[in-house]
């Protein structure tokens, strides 16, 4: 049993989940503090939360979650692609917040948590397949790049 738990902890999906929970906690905290303490409009507060969470997620993803990095030699490009993938998730988050808060009258923090599940799956799959794959596994038009 101990061997199995070690394998689960070593798997990048589990580590990505842990990193995502930490990043989400930062995201939701910034959203809440910005709205509740500083009266920042919801859209801007969500964007600030997203940016904060994205920086934490990127740092954890590159240092702890994934072993292979296809763009490690170009960290600015790597972060840009990481962020672009996250921006798609931000669009989903903004829509779900608008729907849940404005139309249904729910608490922003609860709606934010609901949106996190769908964006987690998308972000993991996109980032794992585009950014955190060994260069020897990248294939374009049937030919290996490396």
């Amino acid at each position: 049993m101990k061997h199995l738990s070690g394998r689960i902890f070593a798997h990048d999906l589990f580590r990505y989940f842990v990193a995502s929970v930490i990043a989400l906690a930062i995201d939701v905290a910034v959203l809440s503090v910005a709205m509740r303490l500083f009266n920042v409009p919801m859209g801007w507060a969500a964007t600030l939360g997203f940016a904060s969470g994205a920086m934490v997620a990127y740092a954890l993803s590159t240092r702890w979650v994934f072993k292979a990095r296809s763009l490690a030699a170009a960290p600015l490009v790597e972060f840009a692609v990481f962020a672009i993938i996250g921006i798609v998730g931000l669009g989903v988050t903004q829509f779900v917040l608008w729907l849940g808060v404005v139309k249904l009258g729910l608490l922003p923090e609860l709606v934010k948590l609901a949106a996190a599940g769908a964006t987690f799956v998308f972000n993991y799959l996109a980032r794992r397949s585009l950014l955190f794959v060994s260069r020897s596994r990248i294939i374009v038009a049937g030919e290996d790049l490396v």
Side-chain angles (χ1 to χ4, degrees):
M1 186 69 168
K2 185 175 180 176
H3 179 65
L4 178 62
S5 65
R7 285 182 40 210
I8 290 170
F9 186 72
H11 194 278
D12 64 12
L13 178 60
F14 177 78
R15 290 191 312 261
Y16 187 78
F17 176 77
V18 171
S20 294
V21 168
I22 293 168
L24 178 62
I26 299 296
D27 185 337
V28 173
V30 169
L31 167 83
S32 186
V33 167
M35 286 180 60
R36 308 254 182 241
L37 296 181
F38 298 105
N39 296 316
V40 174
M42 182 176 58
W44 287 107
T47 302
L48 289 171
F50 166 79
S52 301
M55 288 186 275
V56 169
Y58 178 74
L60 290 172
S61 291
T62 57
R63 290 174 176 79
W64 180 59
V65 174
F66 298 107
K67 293 180 183 6
R69 293 172 61 192
S70 58
L71 297 174
L76 291 177
V77 173
E78 180 182 56
F79 181 75
V81 173
F82 188 93
I84 288 167
I85 292 167
I87 288 169
V88 174
L90 177 61
V92 171
T93 298
Q94 294 283 13
F95 175 74
V96 173
L97 278 169
W98 171 80
L99 182 65
V101 175
V102 175
K103 295 298 184 184
L104 301 176
L106 302 172
L107 289 173
E109 294 84 356
L110 294 177
V111 177
K112 177 66 177 182
L113 292 173
T119 57
F120 170 81
V121 172
F122 169 78
N123 287 346
Y124 173 77
L125 293 174
R127 288 170 175 159
R128 177 75 170 92
S129 62
L130 296 174
L131 292 174
F132 303 110
V133 61
S134 71
R135 292 181 59 83
S136 63
R137 291 181 48 206
I138 299 173
I139 299 175
V140 176
E143 296 180 26
D144 288 336
L145 289 178
V146 177

